[in-house]
Amino acid sequence: MNLFESVADTFIFWIPMYSEAKVAFVVYLWHPRTEGASYMYNSFLLPFLKQHEHEVDRCINETKTRCADLVASYWTRAMQYAQQGFMHALQNMPQPQGGNARGQPLANEMHEHAG
């Protein structure tokens, strides 16, 4: 509605009471007594959708496929990036000097110092 409204506003804003007519139309669509939205849907939108149902379904399926491909592509890129970052972190990790990860001397180093 915004696209239609912006185009219409550009060309017919000068008509007297145009803004009031827009408000009246929205009230007509919204108000339960008039059932304007149901009438507009059943008279205009539903026949259009039925006529173009196969095209709409095809577009929906194509969009689902494209979205799935896009998500898979970004997931693959993210995993590659994470793997590279992890490998980089492992390569740059400081190595322990003469001991294990807890800072205790290794068993063979203990025997060398004892003897």
Side-chain angles (χ1 to χ4, degrees), residues 41 44-56:
Y41 176 79
F44 299 104
L45 189 59
L46 185 60
F48 177 82
L49 291 175
K50 282 184 178 181
Q51 182 181 359
H52 299 286
E53 182 176 5
H54 296 294
E55 294 173 49
V56 171

Side-chain angles (χ1 to χ4, degrees), residues 20 42 94:
E20 291 80 0
N42 290 325

Side-chain angles (χ1 to χ4, degrees), residues 1 7 34 61 95:
M1 184 84 175
V7 171
T34 62
N61 289 333
Q95 298 295 321

Side-chain angles (χ1 to χ4, degrees), residues 9-25:
D9 283 347
T10 304
F11 292 107
I12 59 176
F13 71 94
W14 51 269
I15 294 177
M17 297 186 63
Y18 170 65
S19 297
E20 291 80 0
K22 282 188 351 184
V23 170
F25 182 67

